[in-house]
Amino acid sequence: MNQVIFEKSIPGRSAYSLPACDVPARKTEDLIPNQMLRANVAELPELSEVDVLRHFVGLSQKNYGVLSGIYPLGSCTMKYNPIVNERVAGLDGFTGTHPSMDCPGNLRLMGELQAMLAEITGMDAVTLQPAAGSHGEMTGLMIMKAYHEKRGEPQRTKILVPDSAHGTNPASVTMAGLQTVQIKSDLSGNVDLDDLRAHIDGQLAGLMLTNPNTLGLFEVNIQEIAALIHAAGGLLYYDGANQNAICGITRPGDMGFDVIHLNLHKTFSTPHGGGGPGSGPVGVKQALVPFLPVPTVVYDDGSYRFGGDNPDSIGKVRSFYGNFAIMVRAYAYIRSMGAQGLKAVSENAVLNANYLMAGLRDFMKIEYDRTCMHEFVASGLPQKEQGVSTLDIAKRMLDYNVHPPTVYFPLIVREAMMFEPTETESKQTLDALVETMQTILTEAAENPELVKTAPHNRPVGRLDELKAARKPVLTWDQRTP
């Protein structure tokens, strides 16, 4: 029989001590059917409690998160999550409530959160059901589709999507049973109006747009774009991934958007990543309210309740009403920041991005060198032409204890590096990032092999990324004869 060899296991070592058994003896077969009994003793590691704790604490210290240092992950805002939000979400009254119970306090929180998000975005109503931003996209598109079908225009199945859009946009369009048509960007990084006009016809269902867009640039022609889409009978969808740049300054509803989804982890400081749970609320203008998922939280006769017996609803898109603990965190964040605080967040996010861009401009290629919003796109193309790729630069950043930004996205920028510092980073931290990037680019010019073989001081070196994606090793299991 093969023996499992565990890296830290010591024969005879134990992590527990049990008292003498005081349960009356019974035959094993009375408790566990014979067919479910093990034929051999389980092969488990032999470790003390201290060994186990040190092992897992050591693993946690190898992880990198926003509490470890700067995390400038453009297009996927990695905001600091204030601890007070976690404390509030952990209160017994919230954690001890079963989701099928119509608890008045929970309903009030959801109702007030809906109202706050509607006010912040300029929408008339909000649903909290969707479990993620991409889920919110699909929900919003299903609402748009139902709207056109109700109006007797089922042929409207074409959704225009800019070539700089988030990758989830065309995926969500397909999931909703609609058709994606790509629109070009102009030389300034905004929607090419001539190309937009060329694709507007009687099959138009709507346009999906992020403003500021995925290049971190504000769509200066947004009112003209909205007028063109509406005049053709279409709807304007707002991808709310970049809402962190405009809170308290401008509202999508005031720009002419009809539907919006929000990423609570990107704008309202709820946890991001790790497989969930998430939350992607969807807001709509009045004409689309009848199509919102049910149930909705409504205020009626002095209290909140579940309602929504609406025949035109697209139906339920999530079990219960959504991920409630995430809603609590977002509610706590909005209430603690207030209107002026949310505006200051966006102002500081934009200020930090422009400061960082100015610091990198002298030695990095800035693809669209104009005032950015909360993020901007640099390019490693000059280094690539000298044999050092953007991926190499990103890997070398790990050696300096800096998490790399998003790379190779948006797809319209060759060798893209997308920086988003967020509002909580200090001038000193941004200066240190600029210094790190300058050091790495100097290394790329003078000692390219050092950068091309990075990282050098991490627990794991350069991986075969293709093999890691297709044949991931998810467990440690070493067997010897």
Side-chain angles (χ1 to χ4, degrees):
M1 176 179 108
N2 287 340
Q3 181 182 7
V4 177
I5 307 299
F6 293 94
E7 183 182 7
K8 298 181 181 295
S9 180
I10 304 294
R13 189 168 289 182
S14 175
Y16 62 90
S17 176
L18 298 177
C21 181
D22 59 356
V23 178
R26 294 180 61 183
K27 292 182 179 180
T28 302
E29 55 268 26
D30 292 340
L31 302 175
I32 304 174
N34 284 331
Q35 65 270 23
M36 298 182 67
L37 291 173
R38 294 184 61 93
N40 302 299
V41 177
E43 297 172 324
L44 301 174
E46 298 176 73
L47 299 165
S48 72
E49 183 174 335
V50 173
D51 292 334
V52 173
L53 289 173
R54 286 175 178 169
H55 171 69
F56 284 106
V57 169
L59 287 179
S60 72
Q61 291 171 341
K62 291 180 174 67
N63 289 335
Y64 190 98
V66 74
L67 296 183
S68 306
I70 187 170
Y71 211 128
L73 194 62
S75 86
C76 284
T77 306
M78 296 296 289
K79 287 169 66 91
Y80 166 64
N81 305 147
I83 302 303
V84 65
N85 300 355
E86 303 299 316
R87 294 289 181 88
V88 173
L91 292 174
D92 291 343
F94 294 135
T95 60
T97 305
H98 192 279
S100 66
M101 293 177 61
D102 295 346
C103 175
N106 294 6
L107 288 170
R108 176 181 172 182
L109 183 144
M110 289 188 284
E112 291 184 1
L113 180 59
Q114 287 178 175
M116 290 189 290
L117 294 178
E119 174 62 25
I120 290 168
T121 60
M123 293 290 150
D124 293 312
V126 169
T127 176
L128 302 173
Q129 273 195 43
S134 55
H135 193 196
E137 286 179 11
M138 189 181 74
T139 300
L141 288 161
M142 289 169 63
I143 290 171
M144 292 168 64
K145 183 180 180 182
Y147 168 82
H148 289 305
E149 290 176 348
K150 180 69 175 180
R151 289 166 55 88
E153 297 183 295
Q155 80 282 1
R156 290 188 177 272
T157 59
K158 191 164 71 175
I159 299 292
L160 309 182
V161 178
D163 57 9
S164 65
H166 292 110
T168 52
N169 288 180
S172 296
V173 171
T174 301
M175 290 294 293
L178 299 168
Q179 174 191 0
T180 300
V181 177
Q182 184 171 281
I183 303 298
K184 298 176 184 176
S185 296
D186 62 22
L187 295 178
S188 67
N190 290 148
V191 169
D192 186 315
L193 293 180
D194 290 334
D195 195 43
L196 177 65
R197 292 188 184 96
H199 287 89
I200 292 177
D201 57 26
Q203 292 183 306
L204 176 70
L207 168 68
M208 292 188 80
L209 197 62
T210 308
N211 195 23
N213 64 23
T214 313
L215 298 166
L217 305 172
F218 194 83
E219 290 282 353
V220 295
N221 298 313
I222 184 58
Q223 290 181 311
E224 184 175 355
I225 290 171
L228 286 169
I229 298 299
H230 289 151
L235 297 169
L236 204 55
Y237 183 100
Y238 187 95
D239 178 344
N242 298 342
Q243 178 78 16
N244 200 51
I246 64 170
C247 274
I249 300 171
T250 185
R251 305 190 306 174
D254 299 335
M255 300 178 202
F257 286 91
D258 304 290
V259 192
I260 176 176
H261 89 266
L262 292 169
N263 303 74
L264 295 191
H265 60 272
K266 292 186 180 183
T267 309
F268 299 102
S269 197
T270 67
H272 185 172
S279 185
V282 170
V284 297
K285 286 293 194 177
Q286 190 60 47
L288 301 178
V289 171
F291 306 97
L292 284 172
V294 291
T296 57
V297 177
V298 297
Y299 186 73
D300 183 32
D301 196 24
S303 63
Y304 291 92
R305 63 174 178 83
F306 280 128
D309 297 327
N310 196 324
D312 293 327
S313 169
I314 63 170
K316 204 169 189 178
V317 298
R318 181 72 171 90
S319 58
F320 299 108
Y321 189 67
N323 292 323
F324 180 70
I326 301 299
M327 301 176 201
V328 176
R329 290 171 169 90
Y331 181 90
Y333 180 73
I334 295 171
R335 289 297 298 265
S336 63
M337 296 302 294
Q340 291 304 311
L342 291 177
K343 181 180 180 182
V345 163
S346 293
E347 291 172 339
N348 286 322
V350 172
L351 176 64
N352 278 357
N354 280 278
Y355 180 80
L356 181 60
M357 183 172 67
L360 296 177
R361 182 180 287 119
D362 290 341
F363 51 89
M364 290 196 76
K365 183 181 188 308
I366 306 300
E367 191 65 23
Y368 297 92
D369 198 355
R370 50 180 272 210
T371 300
C372 68
M373 298 298 286
H374 63 307
E375 63 189 5
F376 64 93
V377 181
S379 172
L381 188 58
Q383 288 72 36
K384 176 68 172 180
E385 292 171 347
Q386 297 173 0
V388 177
S389 70
T390 288
L391 180 64
D392 296 332
I393 296 169
K395 295 294 186 183
R396 183 60 174 156
M397 291 176 72
L398 299 174
D399 286 330
Y400 289 91
N401 294 315
V402 175
H403 196 287
T406 298
V407 296
Y408 299 124
F409 182 81
L411 300 178
I412 62 173
V413 178
R414 294 176 62 190
E415 296 297 312
M417 298 190 78
M418 194 176 192
F419 291 90
E420 181 185 4
T422 77
E423 69 279 357
T424 49
E425 299 301 338
S426 66
K427 177 179 179 297
Q428 290 73 27
T429 302
L430 299 180
D431 288 340
L433 177 57
V434 170
E435 183 178 344
T436 296
M437 295 305 300
Q438 188 170 17
T439 299
I440 293 172
L441 295 182
T442 299
E443 292 172 343
E446 298 177 354
N447 187 4
E449 199 60 27
L450 177 68
V451 180
K452 291 169 68 173
T453 55
H456 300 285
N457 59 17
R458 300 292 89 193
V460 178
R462 184 72 70 101
L463 299 174
D464 181 335
E465 299 201 359
L466 181 61
K467 187 176 181 181
R470 296 189 175 183
K471 296 181 178 180
V473 177
L474 303 178
T475 60
W476 186 89
D477 186 6
Q478 179 182 348
R479 292 179 181 270
T480 58

